[in-house]
Amino acid sequence: MILLPDLSGGCGYIYLRTPNPVLGKKVEIGYYPAPAVIGLTGEYSREWYNESSRSSMTLIEGLLTEEELSNKEFVLTIYNATRWTTGSYSVKCTESTTNRLFTERLYVKVTVYNDTQFGNIYKIYRIIREEDHMKTVTCSVSNAALEKPLTTSAKLFVALKPEILVLNVPILRDGNPANITCISRGGRPATNLSFWLDGANYSVNNVKTYENSTRTYSTILTFNNPARKDWNRKLVSCVSRSPFFGETATHRKTINCKYPPTMLTMNAPSIPSYLHDSFTLKFICLTDTYNDICLISWTKDGQLLSANGEVTNKIPGSAVMEFADVKKENNDTPSVQLSVKDEVLLNAHDTTSVTCTAKSLPLSNIVWSVNGETQLLVCNKSQECVMKTSPIKTKEHRNYTCTAYFELGNYNTSANSSFLAIGGASTQKPYEIPNESEDASLTNSNDIPTVWIVIGLSVIIAIFIISTVIVLARKPNVQENETVGMNEEVTYAQVNKIRTNRTETVEPKTKDSDMNLVYADIDIEHLETASKPPSRQRPPSPTEYADVDFIRTKRGSNSDNIIT
């Protein structure tokens, strides 16, 4: 029965399962991992470590194996223990490079018996060759007291020292994968490789492959972290560890990491205090540290002026471009133009938008003002500035001014342009005459159109004529009733009379006419009947009327009723 200590504070518990290990026999080491370590799924590992050779132990069938038991115990078996098996062992249980956890060290001592401890020791001496790898060696002992010989067998493992380590360090570029490789070939057993940069060990996975043709192992380490410019001129190396051949390191190599500038600034040129007709401007372009080929190009208004490439380690790097014989533009004064003429007529309460354009290099500050005092709008460093006028009153005059203020170094000037806004009459109402040039005779002193006066008088005259006609038409009927005796029996036939009213065409009013003529519809028949003398009295005999037809004919412009 094994009593285990508390495992919560460490990596686990390691102990020696084989009491008194003996030369040529198996040695077993047991390991119980701590539950807290097993819970670290992403960082947990289990790696047997030879503290004496400071190298990880590679599992090899028939030489070094591991077995997991049902009680979560892991057992490491070392076959055919030798005098080199003696040493300290531990288990590494995390993958972290900053916080490595190991078990306590376990010291294993292999006992080597001499001739005095055994009755007889039989030794055989032979030069071991590479082809003897994994051959079975058997030793048999027999004498007269034994019915069967005593035999023991073992696999012969022939270790091979790997070839010289190869470290490949290409030219790196800042931010790109480093792609540094370290290769160990031809070893038996497989070696463990580690990568060192500027004295620090970086945890990198080892890829191990077995070559069937040579029965040897190859180990490849690839360091692919993104390169950094601070690695430039730093030293790197690769270290190989083997349980039989110890530790081997490569020659250190210097990293060459290329990096471009990360900052680019330009210093403004010095402007002369007095702007001459021709002068020189000196521009300076500054960069931070870089060691790669850097192409510096100069452009003006989008046109390429020059380009040059250079490699420098200066802190900081710089490039200079001079523009000689620079000509001043716009005669030192900005050109100001407005989108309207000098005078703008506006209806009362109307507004409009006006654009002020100021051309200069560099751009000017544009300021709109009204009546020379009130500032309305400011457009800094602009070529155009749009101003909207406020509503204007009738007969009001406003003077709008656009001023461009130009500055270049210690030199400054200004230019302006103005327009006058004049307020007109209010917007026309529906009853107003649309054309002011029309004849003034169409209106009176009260501004009432004459046409409405003429129409009103015509309506009054028509009503008077129609009333007179109706009164005259009723008088003949009264006289006829008086001449007929009370005892006379009179029989009237049904009279069907077709009446058509004459309609005169009203001529359209012309521009030069003084008045409009209005025609009324007058019944001529009633007027003629009223003008005839009263009929004579007839004898008292009964009178009978036959059927009478009235036919109307037209003659020229005048029409009469003719009875047939």
Side-chain angles (χ1 to χ4, degrees), residues 4-33:
L4 298 180
D6 182 17
L7 305 180
S8 59
C11 200
Y13 177 69
I14 185 173
Y15 71 100
L16 183 62
R17 291 172 58 93
T18 303
N20 301 322
V22 180
L23 182 69
K25 301 296 182 179
K26 294 190 300 182
V27 178
E28 292 183 347
I29 301 174
Y31 166 63
Y32 285 95

PDB file of all heavy atoms in Angstrom, residues 4-33:
ATOM      1  N   LEU A   4       0.131   8.482  -0.379  1.00  0.00           N
ATOM      2  CA  LEU A   4       0.515   9.619  -1.214  1.00  0.00           C
ATOM      3  C   LEU A   4       0.324  10.917  -0.440  1.00  0.00           C
ATOM      4  O   LEU A   4      -0.666  11.089   0.283  1.00  0.00           O
ATOM      5  CB  LEU A   4      -0.339   9.658  -2.486  1.00  0.00           C
ATOM      6  CG  LEU A   4      -0.204   8.452  -3.417  1.00  0.00           C
ATOM      7  CD1 LEU A   4      -1.113   8.634  -4.627  1.00  0.00           C
ATOM      8  CD2 LEU A   4       1.232   8.272  -3.860  1.00  0.00           C
ATOM      9  N   PRO A   5       1.243  11.848  -0.586  1.00  0.00           N
ATOM     10  CA  PRO A   5       1.075  13.159   0.066  1.00  0.00           C
ATOM     11  C   PRO A   5       0.059  14.013  -0.694  1.00  0.00           C
ATOM     12  O   PRO A   5      -0.428  13.628  -1.755  1.00  0.00           O
ATOM     13  CB  PRO A   5       2.484  13.746  -0.007  1.00  0.00           C
ATOM     14  CG  PRO A   5       3.079  13.126  -1.237  1.00  0.00           C
ATOM     15  CD  PRO A   5       2.525  11.719  -1.286  1.00  0.00           C
ATOM     16  N   ASP A   6      -0.247  15.192  -0.124  1.00  0.00           N
ATOM     17  CA  ASP A   6      -1.182  16.124  -0.759  1.00  0.00           C
ATOM     18  C   ASP A   6      -0.596  16.621  -2.083  1.00  0.00           C
ATOM     19  O   ASP A   6       0.558  17.054  -2.146  1.00  0.00           O
ATOM     20  CB  ASP A   6      -1.424  17.298   0.187  1.00  0.00           C
ATOM     21  CG  ASP A   6      -2.441  18.270  -0.405  1.00  0.00           C
ATOM     22  OD1 ASP A   6      -3.156  17.863  -1.338  1.00  0.00           O
ATOM     23  OD2 ASP A   6      -2.513  19.406   0.072  1.00  0.00           O
ATOM     24  N   LEU A   7      -1.415  16.544  -3.151  1.00  0.00           N
ATOM     25  CA  LEU A   7      -0.923  16.902  -4.486  1.00  0.00           C
ATOM     26  C   LEU A   7      -1.436  18.255  -4.955  1.00  0.00           C
ATOM     27  O   LEU A   7      -1.164  18.656  -6.079  1.00  0.00           O
ATOM     28  CB  LEU A   7      -1.370  15.845  -5.508  1.00  0.00           C
ATOM     29  CG  LEU A   7      -0.977  14.392  -5.197  1.00  0.00           C
ATOM     30  CD1 LEU A   7      -1.494  13.476  -6.295  1.00  0.00           C
ATOM     31  CD2 LEU A   7       0.528  14.259  -5.077  1.00  0.00           C
ATOM     32  N   SER A   8      -2.202  18.956  -4.121  1.00  0.00           N
ATOM     33  CA  SER A   8      -2.882  20.163  -4.594  1.00  0.00           C
ATOM     34  C   SER A   8      -1.920  21.300  -4.882  1.00  0.00           C
ATOM     35  O   SER A   8      -2.204  22.172  -5.687  1.00  0.00           O
ATOM     36  CB  SER A   8      -3.927  20.615  -3.571  1.00  0.00           C
ATOM     37  OG  SER A   8      -3.283  20.883  -2.328  1.00  0.00           O
ATOM     38  N   GLY A   9      -0.765  21.349  -4.217  1.00  0.00           N
ATOM     39  CA  GLY A   9       0.103  22.503  -4.373  1.00  0.00           C
ATOM     40  C   GLY A   9       1.194  22.336  -5.399  1.00  0.00           C
ATOM     41  O   GLY A   9       1.976  23.246  -5.600  1.00  0.00           O
ATOM     42  N   GLY A  10       1.344  21.188  -6.051  1.00  0.00           N
ATOM     43  CA  GLY A  10       2.442  20.993  -6.986  1.00  0.00           C
ATOM     44  C   GLY A  10       1.991  20.323  -8.247  1.00  0.00           C
ATOM     45  O   GLY A  10       0.830  20.375  -8.647  1.00  0.00           O
ATOM     46  N   CYS A  11       2.968  19.652  -8.901  1.00  0.00           N
ATOM     47  CA  CYS A  11       2.701  19.007 -10.189  1.00  0.00           C
ATOM     48  C   CYS A  11       2.205  17.579 -10.009  1.00  0.00           C
ATOM     49  O   CYS A  11       1.557  17.031 -10.891  1.00  0.00           O
ATOM     50  CB  CYS A  11       4.001  19.016 -10.996  1.00  0.00           C
ATOM     51  SG  CYS A  11       3.777  18.795 -12.762  1.00  0.00           S
ATOM     52  N   GLY A  12       2.509  16.966  -8.916  1.00  0.00           N
ATOM     53  CA  GLY A  12       2.113  15.574  -8.654  1.00  0.00           C
ATOM     54  C   GLY A  12       3.172  14.876  -7.802  1.00  0.00           C
ATOM     55  O   GLY A  12       4.062  15.517  -7.223  1.00  0.00           O
ATOM     56  N   TYR A  13       3.064  13.566  -7.744  1.00  0.00           N
ATOM     57  CA  TYR A  13       3.975  12.772  -6.904  1.00  0.00           C
ATOM     58  C   TYR A  13       4.692  11.756  -7.774  1.00  0.00           C
ATOM     59  O   TYR A  13       4.073  11.025  -8.562  1.00  0.00           O
ATOM     60  CB  TYR A  13       3.180  12.075  -5.805  1.00  0.00           C
ATOM     61  CG  TYR A  13       4.016  11.183  -4.927  1.00  0.00           C
ATOM     62  CD1 TYR A  13       4.967  11.721  -4.054  1.00  0.00           C
ATOM     63  CD2 TYR A  13       3.888   9.794  -4.979  1.00  0.00           C
ATOM     64  CE1 TYR A  13       5.743  10.900  -3.259  1.00  0.00           C
ATOM     65  CE2 TYR A  13       4.658   8.967  -4.185  1.00  0.00           C
ATOM     66  CZ  TYR A  13       5.578   9.523  -3.328  1.00  0.00           C
ATOM     67  OH  TYR A  13       6.352   8.706  -2.548  1.00  0.00           O
ATOM     68  N   ILE A  14       6.037  11.688  -7.658  1.00  0.00           N
ATOM     69  CA  ILE A  14       6.864  10.734  -8.394  1.00  0.00           C
ATOM     70  C   ILE A  14       7.607   9.869  -7.385  1.00  0.00           C
ATOM     71  O   ILE A  14       8.082  10.365  -6.349  1.00  0.00           O
ATOM     72  CB  ILE A  14       7.843  11.471  -9.342  1.00  0.00           C
ATOM     73  CG1 ILE A  14       8.606  10.469 -10.202  1.00  0.00           C
ATOM     74  CG2 ILE A  14       8.774  12.401  -8.600  1.00  0.00           C
ATOM     75  CD1 ILE A  14       9.466  11.143 -11.281  1.00  0.00           C
ATOM     76  N   TYR A  15       7.707   8.565  -7.654  1.00  0.00           N
ATOM     77  CA  TYR A  15       8.379   7.648  -6.738  1.00  0.00           C
ATOM     78  C   TYR A  15       8.977   6.501  -7.539  1.00  0.00           C
ATOM     79  O   TYR A  15       8.623   6.274  -8.712  1.00  0.00           O
ATOM     80  CB  TYR A  15       7.407   7.123  -5.683  1.00  0.00           C
ATOM     81  CG  TYR A  15       6.373   6.151  -6.217  1.00  0.00           C
ATOM     82  CD1 TYR A  15       6.534   4.769  -6.046  1.00  0.00           C
ATOM     83  CD2 TYR A  15       5.248   6.610  -6.911  1.00  0.00           C
ATOM     84  CE1 TYR A  15       5.592   3.889  -6.538  1.00  0.00           C
ATOM     85  CE2 TYR A  15       4.317   5.734  -7.397  1.00  0.00           C
ATOM     86  CZ  TYR A  15       4.482   4.360  -7.213  1.00  0.00           C
ATOM     87  OH  TYR A  15       3.559   3.467  -7.712  1.00  0.00           O
ATOM     88  N   LEU A  16       9.877   5.742  -6.920  1.00  0.00           N
ATOM     89  CA  LEU A  16      10.568   4.614  -7.555  1.00  0.00           C
ATOM     90  C   LEU A  16       9.808   3.330  -7.244  1.00  0.00           C
ATOM     91  O   LEU A  16       9.659   2.951  -6.091  1.00  0.00           O
ATOM     92  CB  LEU A  16      12.012   4.517  -7.052  1.00  0.00           C
ATOM     93  CG  LEU A  16      12.886   3.437  -7.670  1.00  0.00           C
ATOM     94  CD1 LEU A  16      13.061   3.659  -9.171  1.00  0.00           C
ATOM     95  CD2 LEU A  16      14.245   3.389  -6.979  1.00  0.00           C
ATOM     96  N   ARG A  17       9.296   2.688  -8.281  1.00  0.00           N
ATOM     97  CA  ARG A  17       8.528   1.450  -8.095  1.00  0.00           C
ATOM     98  C   ARG A  17       9.448   0.233  -7.958  1.00  0.00           C
ATOM     99  O   ARG A  17       9.064  -0.776  -7.378  1.00  0.00           O
ATOM    100  CB  ARG A  17       7.582   1.228  -9.282  1.00  0.00           C
ATOM    101  CG  ARG A  17       6.427   2.218  -9.356  1.00  0.00           C
ATOM    102  CD  ARG A  17       5.663   2.047 -10.663  1.00  0.00           C
ATOM    103  NE  ARG A  17       5.145   0.719 -10.838  1.00  0.00           N
ATOM    104  CZ  ARG A  17       3.929   0.284 -10.486  1.00  0.00           C
ATOM    105  NH1 ARG A  17       3.075   1.131  -9.917  1.00  0.00           N
ATOM    106  NH2 ARG A  17       3.539  -0.964 -10.694  1.00  0.00           N
ATOM    107  N   THR A  18      10.668   0.308  -8.524  1.00  0.00           N
ATOM    108  CA  THR A  18      11.598  -0.841  -8.473  1.00  0.00           C
ATOM    109  C   THR A  18      12.583  -0.625  -7.344  1.00  0.00           C
ATOM    110  O   THR A  18      13.438   0.279  -7.411  1.00  0.00           O
ATOM    111  CB  THR A  18      12.352  -0.969  -9.810  1.00  0.00           C
ATOM    112  OG1 THR A  18      11.407  -1.093 -10.869  1.00  0.00           O
ATOM    113  CG2 THR A  18      13.263  -2.172  -9.785  1.00  0.00           C
ATOM    114  N   PRO A  19      12.481  -1.412  -6.277  1.00  0.00           N
ATOM    115  CA  PRO A  19      13.463  -1.260  -5.189  1.00  0.00           C
ATOM    116  C   PRO A  19      14.824  -1.811  -5.624  1.00  0.00           C
ATOM    117  O   PRO A  19      14.915  -2.854  -6.276  1.00  0.00           O
ATOM    118  CB  PRO A  19      12.854  -2.078  -4.054  1.00  0.00           C
ATOM    119  CG  PRO A  19      11.989  -3.088  -4.723  1.00  0.00           C
ATOM    120  CD  PRO A  19      11.485  -2.472  -5.984  1.00  0.00           C
ATOM    121  N   ASN A  20      15.856  -1.091  -5.278  1.00  0.00           N
ATOM    122  CA  ASN A  20      17.226  -1.527  -5.565  1.00  0.00           C
ATOM    123  C   ASN A  20      17.424  -1.895  -7.033  1.00  0.00           C
ATOM    124  O   ASN A  20      17.601  -3.070  -7.387  1.00  0.00           O
ATOM    125  CB  ASN A  20      17.608  -2.717  -4.675  1.00  0.00           C
ATOM    126  CG  ASN A  20      17.505  -2.391  -3.196  1.00  0.00           C
ATOM    127  OD1 ASN A  20      17.836  -1.282  -2.771  1.00  0.00           O
ATOM    128  ND2 ASN A  20      17.022  -3.356  -2.410  1.00  0.00           N
ATOM    129  N   PRO A  21      17.361  -0.943  -7.940  1.00  0.00           N
ATOM    130  CA  PRO A  21      17.584  -1.248  -9.354  1.00  0.00           C
ATOM    131  C   PRO A  21      18.952  -1.880  -9.577  1.00  0.00           C
ATOM    132  O   PRO A  21      19.944  -1.485  -8.952  1.00  0.00           O
ATOM    133  CB  PRO A  21      17.507   0.125 -10.035  1.00  0.00           C
ATOM    134  CG  PRO A  21      16.749   0.972  -9.081  1.00  0.00           C
ATOM    135  CD  PRO A  21      17.098   0.483  -7.715  1.00  0.00           C
ATOM    136  N   VAL A  22      18.977  -2.866 -10.452  1.00  0.00           N
ATOM    137  CA  VAL A  22      20.200  -3.633 -10.705  1.00  0.00           C
ATOM    138  C   VAL A  22      20.596  -3.471 -12.155  1.00  0.00           C
ATOM    139  O   VAL A  22      19.735  -3.353 -13.039  1.00  0.00           O
ATOM    140  CB  VAL A  22      19.985  -5.122 -10.346  1.00  0.00           C
ATOM    141  CG1 VAL A  22      21.259  -5.935 -10.613  1.00  0.00           C
ATOM    142  CG2 VAL A  22      19.549  -5.277  -8.913  1.00  0.00           C
ATOM    143  N   LEU A  23      21.883  -3.498 -12.409  1.00  0.00           N
ATOM    144  CA  LEU A  23      22.408  -3.388 -13.761  1.00  0.00           C
ATOM    145  C   LEU A  23      21.839  -4.488 -14.644  1.00  0.00           C
ATOM    146  O   LEU A  23      21.834  -5.666 -14.271  1.00  0.00           O
ATOM    147  CB  LEU A  23      23.937  -3.487 -13.724  1.00  0.00           C
ATOM    148  CG  LEU A  23      24.667  -3.345 -15.058  1.00  0.00           C
ATOM    149  CD1 LEU A  23      24.556  -1.931 -15.575  1.00  0.00           C
ATOM    150  CD2 LEU A  23      26.127  -3.763 -14.909  1.00  0.00           C
ATOM    151  N   GLY A  24      21.321  -4.093 -15.831  1.00  0.00           N
ATOM    152  CA  GLY A  24      20.790  -5.056 -16.775  1.00  0.00           C
ATOM    153  C   GLY A  24      19.329  -5.384 -16.556  1.00  0.00           C
ATOM    154  O   GLY A  24      18.736  -6.107 -17.367  1.00  0.00           O
ATOM    155  N   LYS A  25      18.715  -4.885 -15.506  1.00  0.00           N
ATOM    156  CA  LYS A  25      17.311  -5.172 -15.217  1.00  0.00           C
ATOM    157  C   LYS A  25      16.449  -3.957 -15.548  1.00  0.00           C
ATOM    158  O   LYS A  25      16.924  -2.867 -15.846  1.00  0.00           O
ATOM    159  CB  LYS A  25      17.142  -5.564 -13.747  1.00  0.00           C
ATOM    160  CG  LYS A  25      17.943  -6.786 -13.334  1.00  0.00           C
ATOM    161  CD  LYS A  25      17.465  -8.037 -14.084  1.00  0.00           C
ATOM    162  CE  LYS A  25      18.230  -9.280 -13.638  1.00  0.00           C
ATOM    163  NZ  LYS A  25      17.754 -10.486 -14.340  1.00  0.00           N
ATOM    164  N   LYS A  26      15.134  -4.167 -15.428  1.00  0.00           N
ATOM    165  CA  LYS A  26      14.180  -3.074 -15.665  1.00  0.00           C
ATOM    166  C   LYS A  26      14.091  -2.170 -14.440  1.00  0.00           C
ATOM    167  O   LYS A  26      14.168  -2.649 -13.309  1.00  0.00           O
ATOM    168  CB  LYS A  26      12.794  -3.615 -15.996  1.00  0.00           C
ATOM    169  CG  LYS A  26      12.716  -4.364 -17.316  1.00  0.00           C
ATOM    170  CD  LYS A  26      11.277  -4.651 -17.706  1.00  0.00           C
ATOM    171  CE  LYS A  26      10.567  -5.496 -16.655  1.00  0.00           C
ATOM    172  NZ  LYS A  26       9.187  -5.820 -17.070  1.00  0.00           N
ATOM    173  N   VAL A  27      13.870  -0.882 -14.733  1.00  0.00           N
ATOM    174  CA  VAL A  27      13.659   0.098 -13.670  1.00  0.00           C
ATOM    175  C   VAL A  27      12.320   0.789 -13.957  1.00  0.00           C
ATOM    176  O   VAL A  27      12.106   1.314 -15.062  1.00  0.00           O
ATOM    177  CB  VAL A  27      14.796   1.124 -13.612  1.00  0.00           C
ATOM    178  CG1 VAL A  27      14.517   2.167 -12.522  1.00  0.00           C
ATOM    179  CG2 VAL A  27      16.133   0.440 -13.366  1.00  0.00           C
ATOM    180  N   GLU A  28      11.429   0.789 -12.949  1.00  0.00           N
ATOM    181  CA  GLU A  28      10.113   1.403 -13.116  1.00  0.00           C
ATOM    182  C   GLU A  28       9.978   2.615 -12.182  1.00  0.00           C
ATOM    183  O   GLU A  28      10.317   2.550 -11.001  1.00  0.00           O
ATOM    184  CB  GLU A  28       8.991   0.416 -12.816  1.00  0.00           C
ATOM    185  CG  GLU A  28       8.884  -0.717 -13.834  1.00  0.00           C
ATOM    186  CD  GLU A  28       7.722  -1.641 -13.549  1.00  0.00           C
ATOM    187  OE1 GLU A  28       7.149  -1.559 -12.438  1.00  0.00           O
ATOM    188  OE2 GLU A  28       7.384  -2.452 -14.444  1.00  0.00           O
ATOM    189  N   ILE A  29       9.459   3.716 -12.766  1.00  0.00           N
ATOM    190  CA  ILE A  29       9.211   4.954 -12.018  1.00  0.00           C
ATOM    191  C   ILE A  29       7.725   5.273 -12.130  1.00  0.00           C
ATOM    192  O   ILE A  29       7.166   5.295 -13.245  1.00  0.00           O
ATOM    193  CB  ILE A  29      10.054   6.115 -12.560  1.00  0.00           C
ATOM    194  CG1 ILE A  29      11.555   5.781 -12.472  1.00  0.00           C
ATOM    195  CG2 ILE A  29       9.756   7.411 -11.809  1.00  0.00           C
ATOM    196  CD1 ILE A  29      12.444   6.831 -13.114  1.00  0.00           C
ATOM    197  N   GLY A  30       7.046   5.534 -11.006  1.00  0.00           N
ATOM    198  CA  GLY A  30       5.619   5.837 -10.997  1.00  0.00           C
ATOM    199  C   GLY A  30       5.353   7.331 -10.822  1.00  0.00           C
ATOM    200  O   GLY A  30       6.128   8.048 -10.188  1.00  0.00           O
ATOM    201  N   TYR A  31       4.205   7.806 -11.422  1.00  0.00           N
ATOM    202  CA  TYR A  31       3.853   9.238 -11.332  1.00  0.00           C
ATOM    203  C   TYR A  31       2.342   9.383 -11.219  1.00  0.00           C
ATOM    204  O   TYR A  31       1.580   8.838 -12.031  1.00  0.00           O
ATOM    205  CB  TYR A  31       4.350   9.987 -12.576  1.00  0.00           C
ATOM    206  CG  TYR A  31       3.750  11.367 -12.736  1.00  0.00           C
ATOM    207  CD1 TYR A  31       3.978  12.363 -11.789  1.00  0.00           C
ATOM    208  CD2 TYR A  31       2.957  11.684 -13.846  1.00  0.00           C
ATOM    209  CE1 TYR A  31       3.433  13.631 -11.930  1.00  0.00           C
ATOM    210  CE2 TYR A  31       2.415  12.944 -13.999  1.00  0.00           C
ATOM    211  CZ  TYR A  31       2.647  13.910 -13.040  1.00  0.00           C
ATOM    212  OH  TYR A  31       2.099  15.149 -13.178  1.00  0.00           O
ATOM    213  N   TYR A  32       1.908  10.102 -10.149  1.00  0.00           N
ATOM    214  CA  TYR A  32       0.505  10.451  -9.959  1.00  0.00           C
ATOM    215  C   TYR A  32       0.346  11.963 -10.228  1.00  0.00           C
ATOM    216  O   TYR A  32       0.857  12.781  -9.457  1.00  0.00           O
ATOM    217  CB  TYR A  32       0.055  10.147  -8.527  1.00  0.00           C
ATOM    218  CG  TYR A  32      -0.151   8.678  -8.247  1.00  0.00           C
ATOM    219  CD1 TYR A  32       0.858   7.909  -7.679  1.00  0.00           C
ATOM    220  CD2 TYR A  32      -1.368   8.072  -8.537  1.00  0.00           C
ATOM    221  CE1 TYR A  32       0.674   6.567  -7.405  1.00  0.00           C
ATOM    222  CE2 TYR A  32      -1.566   6.724  -8.270  1.00  0.00           C
ATOM    223  CZ  TYR A  32      -0.542   5.976  -7.699  1.00  0.00           C
ATOM    224  OH  TYR A  32      -0.735   4.652  -7.431  1.00  0.00           O
ATOM    225  N   PRO A  33      -0.359  12.364 -11.302  1.00  0.00           N
ATOM    226  CA  PRO A  33      -0.536  13.800 -11.559  1.00  0.00           C
ATOM    227  C   PRO A  33      -1.521  14.424 -10.575  1.00  0.00           C
ATOM    228  O   PRO A  33      -2.463  13.779 -10.122  1.00  0.00           O
ATOM    229  CB  PRO A  33      -1.083  13.849 -12.986  1.00  0.00           C
ATOM    230  CG  PRO A  33      -1.750  12.529 -13.172  1.00  0.00           C
ATOM    231  CD  PRO A  33      -0.965  11.532 -12.355  1.00  0.00           C
TER     232      PRO A  33
END
